[in-house]
Amino acid sequence: MRSERHVFLTVMTAAMLVFSLTPLVLVSVFSVNASRFYAFPITGLTLQWYSDLLSDDRIWSSLLSSVLIAVGVSAISTCMGTAFAFVVVRGTGRFWRTASVLGFIPLAVPVLVLAAALQVAFVEIGLPLGYGTVIIGHTIFATPFVVLMVVAQLFRYDWRLDAAARDLGASAVETFRHVTLPILMPSIRSGAILGFLLSFNEWAIAFFTGRGFNTLPMLVYSMQRNGLPPSVLAYSSLIVIFVLAAVLLLLPFVLRMLVRGAAQETT
Amino acid sequence: MSAGLVKNARGSGWITAAALPWLASLLVFFALPLAGLAALSLTDQSGQVSLANYASLADLASGRLDVLLRTLRIGVIVIIASLCIALPVAYYLAKVVQSPRIESLILLLVSATFLAGPLVRTVSWRGILGVHGLINESLLQLGLISEPILSLLYGELAMTLALTYNVFPFLLFTTYLSMKVIDDRIIAAARDLGASPAAAFFRVVLPLAAPGVVTGAVLVFVPTLSAVLEPEILGGTSSRLMATAIRDQFFHAHNWPLGATLTVVLIVSGTITLMLVALVTSLALRACSHYGLSTGVPSHAK
């Protein structure tokens, strides 16, 4: 009876993995196919599309814009998000409970709506559209995800550690700097990586609130409108590799959390 | 006692300082712009107060109502499709698989594909659904069809598939997290008392995981409302969604008040749709309980 359940669930999970991976594997395979089209047959091996992509000057200036914006977003949203995570976990009373929920409200509003509202507001108050406006928009979009990352670890945090540090004579600030922060570092780092990736691949907010430059998604969006040139496949494949590398950096951390969780359950 | 008060005051002062940057940002760069958008929707292009934008929606010839209804319908379909994927997989990862290594590897693979972003994820489907794409070529090789199916790409099916692909991880993650914190002993107790695996899942696990499932359902529905890339890259001309219409008002027609109106209508109707889905679901569950299929939370589990 137990194994029945396992078969169905295992098959579903395997199917989900196939569903998740197939499109991205396929795009990577075709990025080195000699044919110009994203279609069968596979005619030969080439790196031409990568050299097309990398010799395009627009790619490099877009990459610079995207990285500048994503680094800014990651820094700001990690600071604000980490601080707010403490409010979510430690805030008591009706006021702070309500405030905690309000902090996640952007998750419930379509990104395009936020993008349109910000564009109108920036133009209305005369703030010139540029890097700053995209960073603001992306920060509103990404911070709730950073908060979730940090909250996930903070909920399990053993506050007796703080009490012990205080009893031993550390000030509140020293306790935070030398006890709380180092312990939370893995989830703060994951939050920072998440903030970077969310901003780096975001299209709608950048499209609405950025002027005078292209981020990578904006550029690739305009490239693919003219019949999907093969350099877009090369771009997709590079993004997949880049994101995979960034996420694998998190593997030891996630594994440790899961193993510790399992250990707690058995004791 | 006065020391306690001082400590309390200092404690809440610290929380205020931690909360202020984010809440202030939300007020200035989120709440006020949305209010401004709502105000803009009530004007015409010359700045006069007018309800003409809203009236134009009721004009059936404009086709805007069709686009709105299609958007909401596809949003609901995406929720259902995501549930079909996420519920079994989340349960498998949270409660069935024994190895934390496999568990974290699968979660990270899904995260990695998810974080590649909607643009890359959507474009990559063209090689699967195209005339000479993976599906057509496989079916031809197997001899199941004699010529390629042309209608796979560019249509509601392709668009809905890509939308589901782009958002289902939200539901998977929230459901997984809420199932992960369920005490294994509750499930074991249900089985010991004679519940079949399916009964244990539907009557014990699912009710306890409901908050995560509901959160995830909202998280997959909301991006569907703002989908521009998926309809444009895979939807073809007949499957326009509201988000495309909004983008066009802002960038092609340059009618910002009408764009703002469409945005307000999208948010309001989206919220109503979610409430209807919640209502229908709870009514259906209540109806089921009359036939002995109760999914009510056992009182001891709270």
Side-chain angles (χ1 to χ4, degrees):
Chain A
M1 208 152 84
R2 263 184 91 78
S3 64
E4 251 178 338
R5 178 180 62 169
H6 287 212
V7 170
F8 172 69
L9 295 174
T10 312
V11 167
M12 281 305 288
T13 305
M16 184 279 300
L17 269 183
V18 171
F19 178 60
S20 288
L21 295 175
T22 306
L24 299 178
V25 169
L26 203 68
V27 86
S28 306
V29 168
F30 278 96
S31 72
V32 293
N33 184 21
S35 157
R36 290 189 57 83
F37 303 105
Y38 185 14
F40 286 92
I42 291 173
T43 51
L45 192 70
T46 180
L47 288 176
Q48 179 65 39
W49 319 129
Y50 286 87
S51 88
D52 279 5
L53 180 78
L54 300 180
S55 62
D56 189 336
D57 288 338
R58 297 176 304 167
I59 286 287
W60 295 103
S61 57
S62 301
L63 178 65
L64 186 65
S65 303
S66 281
V67 169
L68 277 176
I69 291 168
V71 166
V73 171
S74 172
I76 301 170
S77 61
T78 305
C79 293
M80 287 202 300
T82 304
F84 196 75
F86 281 86
V87 180
V88 174
V89 174
R90 301 231 70 183
T92 49
R94 188 187 286 176
F95 178 77
W96 289 118
R97 299 259 48 86
T98 313
S100 301
V101 173
L102 285 180
F104 291 106
I105 275 282
L107 291 176
V109 172
V111 176
L112 192 88
V113 172
L114 173 64
L118 282 175
Q119 185 195 30
V120 169
F122 290 143
V123 170
E124 207 65 33
I125 63 174
L127 196 63
L129 300 180
Y131 287 102
T133 49
V134 178
I135 289 179
I136 290 172
H138 278 181
T139 302
I140 299 292
F141 162 66
T143 303
F145 292 99
V146 177
V147 179
L148 282 177
M149 271 299 202
V150 181
V151 161
Q153 193 185 1
L154 207 52
F155 261 125
R156 302 167 166 210
Y157 187 80
D158 186 350
W159 296 100
R160 289 173 302 183
L161 294 171
D162 280 28
R166 296 301 299 277
D167 282 350
L168 293 168
S171 71
V173 176
E174 284 170 338
T175 306
F176 181 72
R177 268 200 56 195
H178 299 296
V179 179
T180 319
L181 210 51
I183 295 175
L184 286 182
M185 220 39 186
S187 64
I188 296 175
R189 196 161 49 223
S190 323
I193 294 175
L194 186 65
F196 182 93
L197 291 177
L198 286 173
S199 165
F200 193 80
N201 288 317
E202 203 286 331
W203 172 80
I205 294 174
F207 187 77
F208 272 77
T209 64
R211 293 290 182 281
F213 60 87
N214 273 327
T215 64
L216 273 177
M218 287 162 82
L219 176 69
V220 173
Y221 167 74
S222 64
M223 284 164 75
Q224 65 82 29
R225 297 191 81 171
N226 307 318
L228 196 65
S231 50
V232 171
L233 305 183
Y235 166 81
S236 303
S237 160
L238 288 176
I239 287 288
V240 170
I241 293 166
F242 169 67
V243 173
L244 197 61
V247 169
L248 284 179
L249 280 179
L250 299 176
L251 182 63
F253 165 59
V254 176
L255 194 56
R256 213 176 323 132
M257 293 260 287
L258 290 178
V259 171
R260 197 182 299 152
Q264 275 171 1
E265 276 164 26
T266 51
T267 48
Chain B
M1 186 170 156
S2 69
L5 278 178
V6 170
K7 202 181 168 196
N8 270 344
R10 200 198 287 147
S12 69
W14 186 81
I15 286 187
T16 308
L20 201 59
W22 175 233
L23 291 181
S25 309
L26 276 186
L27 177 68
V28 177
F29 297 118
F30 183 76
L32 291 179
L34 285 181
L37 202 68
L40 184 66
S41 76
L42 295 169
T43 65
D44 59 21
Q45 272 183 297
S46 59
Q48 301 294 313
V49 175
S50 139
L51 284 171
N53 294 322
Y54 288 93
S56 80
L57 274 164
D59 177 11
L60 289 177
S62 71
R64 294 213 173 88
L65 207 57
D66 289 343
V67 174
L68 177 66
L69 292 177
R70 183 188 297 134
T71 306
L72 298 173
R73 173 165 50 84
I74 287 180
V76 174
I77 294 174
V78 167
I79 293 182
I80 296 169
S82 300
L83 283 171
C84 294
I85 304 170
L87 289 182
V89 175
Y91 185 50
Y92 178 80
L93 292 177
K95 289 297 170 205
V96 176
V97 71
Q98 295 300 316
S99 154
R101 272 199 189 76
I102 293 179
E103 186 181 341
S104 54
L105 189 68
I106 293 177
L107 284 171
L108 284 173
L109 278 176
V110 177
S111 318
T113 60
F114 179 56
L115 288 168
L119 182 58
V120 168
R121 282 169 77 83
T122 307
V123 163
S124 64
W125 272 95
R126 291 177 54 147
I128 294 182
L129 302 170
V131 177
H132 297 289
L134 185 66
I135 292 180
N136 270 324
E137 288 297 315
S138 309
L139 292 177
L140 282 172
Q141 292 289 325
L142 291 170
L144 292 173
I145 53 172
S146 54
E147 45 192 277
I149 308 166
L150 297 174
S151 58
L152 285 179
L153 196 57
Y154 302 127
E156 264 189 43
L157 180 69
M159 180 173 70
T160 310
L161 193 62
L163 276 167
T164 307
Y165 180 66
N166 287 348
V167 298
F168 88 87
F170 278 124
L171 187 66
L172 176 60
F173 293 143
T174 56
T175 307
Y176 163 80
L177 286 174
S178 57
M179 285 182 178
K180 190 75 189 167
V181 298
I182 296 174
D183 193 330
D184 285 339
R185 288 169 298 186
I186 295 177
I187 306 170
R191 297 297 309 280
D192 285 348
L193 292 169
S196 68
F201 178 80
F202 284 107
R203 296 177 64 176
V204 177
V205 176
L206 204 52
L208 289 172
V213 178
V214 171
T215 309
V218 175
L219 289 181
V220 299
F221 184 73
V222 166
T224 310
L225 296 184
S226 71
V228 174
L229 300 171
E230 294 87 347
E232 195 166 318
I233 297 172
L234 299 169
T237 46
S238 64
S239 312
R240 282 164 50 93
L241 296 184
M242 276 298 267
T244 322
I246 293 171
R247 196 271 317 267
D248 288 348
Q249 287 305 324
F250 276 93
F251 284 90
H252 300 306
H254 295 287
N255 188 346
W256 286 20
L258 183 55
T261 305
L262 297 180
T263 314
V264 171
V265 168
L266 182 63
I267 291 194
V268 172
S269 60
T271 310
I272 294 172
T273 306
L274 276 181
M275 288 158 97
L276 282 178
V277 169
L279 184 71
V280 170
T281 312
S282 67
L283 285 179
L285 291 180
R286 199 167 301 165
C288 285
S289 71
H290 285 298
Y291 298 96
L293 296 165
S294 165
T295 54
V297 182
S299 55
H300 64 84
K302 283 186 174 172

